[in-house]
Amino acid sequence: MTITDIAKLSGVGVSTVSRVINNHPDVKSETREKVLSIIKEYNYVPNNSARILKQSNTKNIGILVKGVFNPFFSAILKNISTSVEASGYTMILQHHNNPNDLDTLVGFIKEKKLQGVICLGGNFIDIKEESFDDLDVAIVLLCVNLKTQKAWNSFSTISIADDIAAYEATRYLIENGHRNIAIMLGDRDDLGVGLIRYEGYKRAIEDNGIEIREDYIIYGEYEVTKAYEKATSFLKENKEVTAIFAISDMMAIGVAKAVVNLGLKIRDDISIVGFDGMDVAKYYEPTITTIKQPKDEMSKMSVDLLFELLNGETQHKHILLDIELVEGNSIKKIN
Amino acid sequence: MTITDIAKLSGVGVSTVSRVINNHPDVKSETREKVLSIIKEYNYVPNNSARILKQSNTKNIGILVKGVFNPFFSAILKNISTSVEASGYTMILQHHNNPNDLDTLVGFIKEKKLQGVICLGGNFIDIKEESFDDLDVAIVLLCVNLKTQKAWNSFSTISIADDIAAYEATRYLIENGHRNIAIMLGDRDDLGVGLIRYEGYKRAIEDNGIEIREDYIIYGEYEVTKAYEKATSFLKENKEVTAIFAISDMMAIGVAKAVVNLGLKIRDDISIVGFDGMDVAKYYEPTITTIKQPKDEMSKMSVDLLFELLNGETQHKHILLDIELVEGNSIKKIN
DNA sequence: GTTAGAATTGGAAACGATACCTAGTAAAGA
DNA sequence: TCTTTACTAGGTATCGTTTCCAATTCTAAC
């Protein structure tokens, strides 16, 4: 079934059928009805490749996800997915663990002929000025590790102030009297936003005259199980620690279980702070104090911005969203 | 940059360049080298649409996800994603909430010119014999509601015996002395596998001479928050209930929090059984007894099967995987 | 030196849509 | 009645590949 077949069956020319399909105005309504009925009867769907070939408009949006598909990313993914489809674009999902995020991104764009791409997570610290030069594509980075302002006009970013967020979380613990505060990061070899969060933590510690201890870093790999294991062995050996700041809520849950299974009490013995503001943190018992990221806003903005960029309605932007420290019941006030 | 440009630059014909690109044997090696170097120099990437148009081989694999992107689906998605990419196929993700799953599926296949598709969740109860007739595509259904054996040779399924699983969970509660057992399903209007699970629950209740109560069905919509709210109001009004069987672990966590916030104790006052076998259920405190689905096996098998089907190495299969009741600490033994 | 056969190579017709350009028809105005 | 204008419709070149078929070159044996 091609457009030619439909044209013959409806007794009109191919251009007319094309006009009908694309909702062009210059078609008599009875002709349109007739063509439409034939299309429906024969279950005709236009060949996307042929259209793309002619129009050089692929309508492909890529989503490049780095690392774990944690519930936080999934929630964002779902929101993005819904909006992308609603706009008649095709969403191509790629997951990777490649340390070279930039090359992966560029390859993805070229290979899939993307018009736009959203990156979820990853390190983009050494972006080169010319990296995106020859590709005319709308790029939005979400939750990435990016400190340089190089090539600042070649892509957009939507992020929270990860360092300030981590600073706040740590300061909150210190204000509550904690001094021996450990931090749980993701992958030792590929920190991503974890690096920025660690810097916030570090600054808060130092600003309050506490000594930084490298051995207070735990790597939980963003997984509940790993977090549980690592926290268990860590707590066994560092009895003086009174608080752990985990940079994801899922890891915070692993830590919580470790605390319980060691015969300790969450809050009274070990205070816990999470990060993300997932529902599970709220519905865990005790409710875990966490840094809430505006995930719905983040996903909505990223898609909106992407389409604005695609339509040439805006220049590249760098948006910083607010976070919120949501108090739970997992932090003890010491004296 | 097109194949013609490359041909001119290399001083050969387009067919030769095409042969080089596609690794056809009939090219002198020095010609090949030359063409390859030009391709590299000019950063040429073949136009995928043109290729697809000619070859009608899109290498597109679709993933159609119904309803919520819960952590269970995300985990499966991640596994699938990795394998699909490794095979050089493109993964197109679509999320929907359309009650008519079959039409959505067929439209998805046609529009995106898919070669294969995996469905995650949904209702496929009224599949018609001719539904997939004109589409030559490998279909694997995962975690779907499907009872008829119509068109059994047009698609594959990978599933667990949802009814037996739910039967087991319910029977386990009954064996532990519970009689007033509520069940928490997903969406009232779109049950999916929930329907099958409900039947298992119902049968277990009846087999043990307990009266079925329609008002013991709670609809938690597969969300922690909803589950929490619904369980809270349910428990306030049904004080005789001693156990709740939630058909997802995330909902089980919502239920758990509801129990705690009502001043009751998980296990001692209200027993909870989940479904899925997610890490969070294991690391929740108390560990939630759950029906564990072999999610890694499910995702691996679905992709393997899909590619076998694509390569014509096998006929359609209908695989039933085993589940396991993983005991936690959320069930009280009554006398 | 010829020639069969193999090894390479080039030309050109598709694939299925879009959109420019042209043409016919009907209504409106002169 | 004739011209102008607005609609509506059709023909066809084109997008960038692949691949069939034909043509050319090369190799080696006579």
Side-chain angles (χ1 to χ4, degrees):
Chain A
M1 260 308 138
T2 72
I3 201 173
T4 320
D5 298 325
I6 297 294
K8 279 186 191 137
L9 287 164
S10 334
V12 300
V14 281
S15 9
T16 303
V17 178
S18 175
R19 273 184 283 254
V20 169
I21 295 168
N22 296 286
N23 267 316
H24 286 201
D26 301 348
V27 184
K28 218 199 298 176
S29 65
E30 55 183 296
T31 313
R32 178 181 303 267
E33 293 307 320
K34 189 196 215 164
V35 172
L36 245 26
S37 76
I38 299 282
I39 286 178
K40 191 160 192 186
E41 179 182 352
Y42 288 86
N43 249 321
Y44 163 75
V45 179
N47 183 312
N48 208 29
S49 307
R51 166 182 284 167
I52 294 171
L53 179 58
K54 196 69 185 55
Q55 296 194 323
S56 67
N57 178 353
T58 61
K59 292 213 156 200
N60 283 347
I61 300 290
I63 312 287
L64 191 62
V65 182
K66 170 72 173 278
V68 194
F69 265 42
N70 56 35
F72 182 72
F73 277 3
S74 307
I76 290 180
L77 206 57
K78 185 194 159 193
N79 290 342
I80 292 177
S81 167
T82 309
S83 317
V84 168
E85 282 147 30
S87 312
Y89 280 72
T90 296
M91 177 169 155
I92 296 178
L93 178 70
Q94 187 151 321
H95 167 257
H96 81 294
N97 266 316
N98 193 337
N100 192 336
D101 297 82
L102 192 57
D103 279 3
T104 310
L105 172 60
V106 173
F108 185 40
I109 293 169
K110 281 195 177 174
E111 197 189 330
K112 310 298 184 194
K113 289 260 177 303
L114 304 177
Q115 311 242 260
V117 58
I118 296 177
C119 287
L120 229 50
N123 291 289
F124 291 87
I125 28 178
D126 33 54
I127 281 187
K128 287 173 214 80
E129 200 61 65
E130 67 278 13
S131 296
F132 306 121
D133 269 3
D134 54 334
L135 1 132
D136 177 33
V137 62
I139 300 174
V140 177
L141 307 181
L142 214 60
C143 308
V144 303
N145 178 15
L146 173 93
K147 285 200 305 193
T148 140
Q149 295 201 354
K150 268 190 204 166
W152 208 233
N153 292 315
S154 306
F155 55 85
S156 287
T157 52
I158 292 176
S159 46
I160 56 164
D162 281 287
D163 48 351
I164 296 174
Y167 187 94
E168 284 304 309
T170 313
R171 193 178 58 105
Y172 185 76
L173 284 168
I174 297 171
E175 272 177 5
N176 277 278
H178 295 270
R179 308 282 296 175
N180 299 319
I181 303 165
I183 184 169
M184 178 173 276
L185 303 175
D187 270 337
R188 170 179 254 116
D189 303 318
D190 199 359
L191 286 171
V193 286
L195 189 65
I196 314 182
R197 294 185 191 165
Y198 176 67
E199 280 165 15
Y201 157 86
K202 194 174 165 189
R203 198 152 46 79
I205 296 284
E206 289 172 343
D207 282 359
N208 287 278
I210 307 173
E211 190 197 356
I212 278 289
R213 292 188 51 170
E214 297 264 322
D215 57 333
Y216 276 7
I217 304 176
I218 320 169
Y219 296 96
E221 300 179 29
Y222 287 112
E223 276 177 30
V224 197
T225 310
K226 284 282 174 197
Y228 167 78
E229 291 166 3
K230 297 296 188 71
T232 300
S233 54
F234 176 84
L235 287 171
K236 275 186 191 159
E237 289 173 16
N238 299 76
K239 309 258 189 213
E240 73 288 0
V241 165
T242 59
I244 297 182
F245 167 36
I247 67 162
S248 93
D249 287 335
M250 295 313 278
M251 292 199 293
I253 288 176
V255 172
K257 185 72 168 190
V259 170
V260 173
N261 277 12
L262 287 169
L264 302 170
K265 275 206 76 174
I266 298 167
R267 187 173 186 277
D268 292 345
D269 296 315
I270 301 288
S271 296
I272 298 174
V273 183
F275 205 111
D276 283 348
M278 299 299 300
D279 284 339
V280 272
K282 185 172 170 192
Y283 292 101
Y284 198 82
E285 181 57 36
T287 297
I288 296 169
T289 297
T290 183
I291 299 285
K292 183 174 185 181
Q293 302 196 61
K295 67 174 160 42
D296 292 337
E297 207 179 339
M298 283 169 117
S299 32
K300 185 172 177 351
M301 285 188 101
S302 62
V303 183
D304 288 351
L305 180 53
L306 193 77
F307 284 120
E308 280 172 23
L309 289 165
L310 283 173
N311 299 332
E313 293 163 14
T314 184
Q315 297 295 96
H316 278 295
K317 291 178 191 169
H318 298 275
I319 300 170
L320 208 58
L321 295 173
D322 289 334
I323 51 93
E324 187 189 352
L325 194 150
V326 181
E327 295 196 30
N329 205 15
S330 61
I331 296 181
K332 182 184 183 185
K333 185 159 181 67
I334 302 177
N335 298 344
Chain B
M1 260 307 139
T2 73
I3 201 173
T4 319
D5 299 326
I6 298 294
K8 280 189 189 132
L9 287 163
S10 336
V12 300
V14 282
S15 13
T16 303
V17 178
S18 176
R19 273 184 283 257
V20 170
I21 294 168
N22 296 285
N23 266 316
H24 287 200
D26 302 349
V27 184
K28 218 198 299 176
S29 65
E30 54 184 294
T31 313
R32 179 181 303 269
E33 294 307 321
K34 189 194 212 167
V35 172
L36 244 26
S37 75
I38 298 283
I39 286 179
K40 191 159 191 185
E41 180 182 350
Y42 288 86
N43 247 319
Y44 164 74
V45 179
N47 183 312
N48 207 30
S49 306
R51 166 182 283 168
I52 293 172
L53 179 59
K54 199 71 189 54
Q55 293 194 324
S56 66
N57 178 353
T58 61
K59 291 214 158 200
N60 284 346
I61 299 289
I63 312 288
L64 191 61
V65 183
K66 170 72 174 276
V68 193
F69 266 41
N70 56 36
F72 182 72
F73 277 2
S74 308
I76 291 181
L77 206 57
K78 185 193 160 193
N79 290 343
I80 292 177
S81 167
T82 310
S83 317
V84 168
E85 282 147 29
S87 311
Y89 279 71
T90 296
M91 178 169 154
I92 296 178
L93 178 69
Q94 186 151 324
H95 166 259
H96 82 294
N97 266 315
N98 193 336
N100 192 336
D101 297 82
L102 192 57
D103 279 3
T104 310
L105 172 59
V106 173
F108 185 40
I109 293 169
K110 284 194 175 176
E111 198 189 328
K112 309 298 185 195
K113 289 263 175 299
L114 304 176
Q115 312 242 263
V117 58
I118 296 178
C119 287
L120 228 51
N123 291 290
F124 291 86
I125 28 176
D126 33 54
I127 282 188
K128 287 173 214 78
E129 200 61 63
E130 68 277 13
S131 297
F132 305 121
D133 270 4
D134 53 333
L135 3 131
D136 178 33
V137 61
I139 300 175
V140 178
L141 307 181
L142 214 61
C143 309
V144 302
N145 178 15
L146 172 94
K147 284 201 305 192
T148 139
Q149 295 201 354
K150 269 190 205 166
W152 208 233
N153 293 313
S154 307
F155 55 86
S156 287
T157 52
I158 293 176
S159 47
I160 57 164
D162 281 288
D163 48 351
I164 296 174
Y167 187 95
E168 284 303 309
T170 313
R171 193 178 58 106
Y172 185 76
L173 285 167
I174 296 172
E175 272 177 4
N176 277 279
H178 295 270
R179 307 281 296 175
N180 299 319
I181 304 165
I183 183 168
M184 179 173 276
L185 303 175
D187 270 338
R188 170 177 255 118
D189 303 318
D190 199 1
L191 286 170
V193 286
L195 188 66
I196 314 182
R197 294 184 190 166
Y198 176 67
E199 280 164 16
Y201 157 85
K202 194 174 166 187
R203 198 152 46 78
I205 295 283
E206 288 171 343
D207 282 0
N208 286 279
I210 306 173
E211 189 198 356
I212 278 289
R213 291 187 53 168
E214 297 265 320
D215 57 331
Y216 276 7
I217 305 177
I218 320 169
Y219 296 97
E221 300 179 29
Y222 286 112
E223 277 177 31
V224 197
T225 310
K226 284 281 172 195
Y228 167 77
E229 291 166 2
K230 297 296 188 72
T232 301
S233 53
F234 176 84
L235 287 171
K236 276 187 192 161
E237 287 172 16
N238 300 76
K239 309 257 189 215
E240 74 287 358
V241 166
T242 59
I244 297 181
F245 167 36
I247 66 163
S248 94
D249 286 336
M250 295 314 279
M251 291 199 294
I253 288 176
V255 172
K257 185 70 168 189
V259 169
V260 173
N261 277 12
L262 286 169
L264 301 171
K265 276 206 77 176
I266 297 168
R267 187 172 186 278
D268 291 345
D269 296 315
I270 302 289
S271 296
I272 298 174
V273 182
F275 204 112
D276 283 348
M278 298 300 300
D279 284 339
V280 270
K282 184 172 170 192
Y283 292 101
Y284 197 82
E285 180 58 34
T287 298
I288 295 169
T289 298
T290 184
I291 300 285
K292 184 175 184 178
Q293 301 197 62
K295 67 174 159 41
D296 292 337
E297 208 180 339
M298 284 169 114
S299 32
K300 186 174 178 346
M301 286 189 101
S302 61
V303 183
D304 288 351
L305 180 53
L306 193 77
F307 284 118
E308 280 173 23
L309 289 165
L310 283 174
N311 300 331
E313 293 164 13
T314 183
Q315 296 295 96
H316 278 294
K317 291 178 192 169
H318 298 273
I319 300 169
L320 207 60
L321 296 174
D322 288 335
I323 51 93
E324 187 190 353
L325 194 151
V326 181
E327 295 196 30
N329 205 15
S330 61
I331 295 181
K332 182 185 183 185
K333 187 162 179 63
I334 302 177
N335 298 342

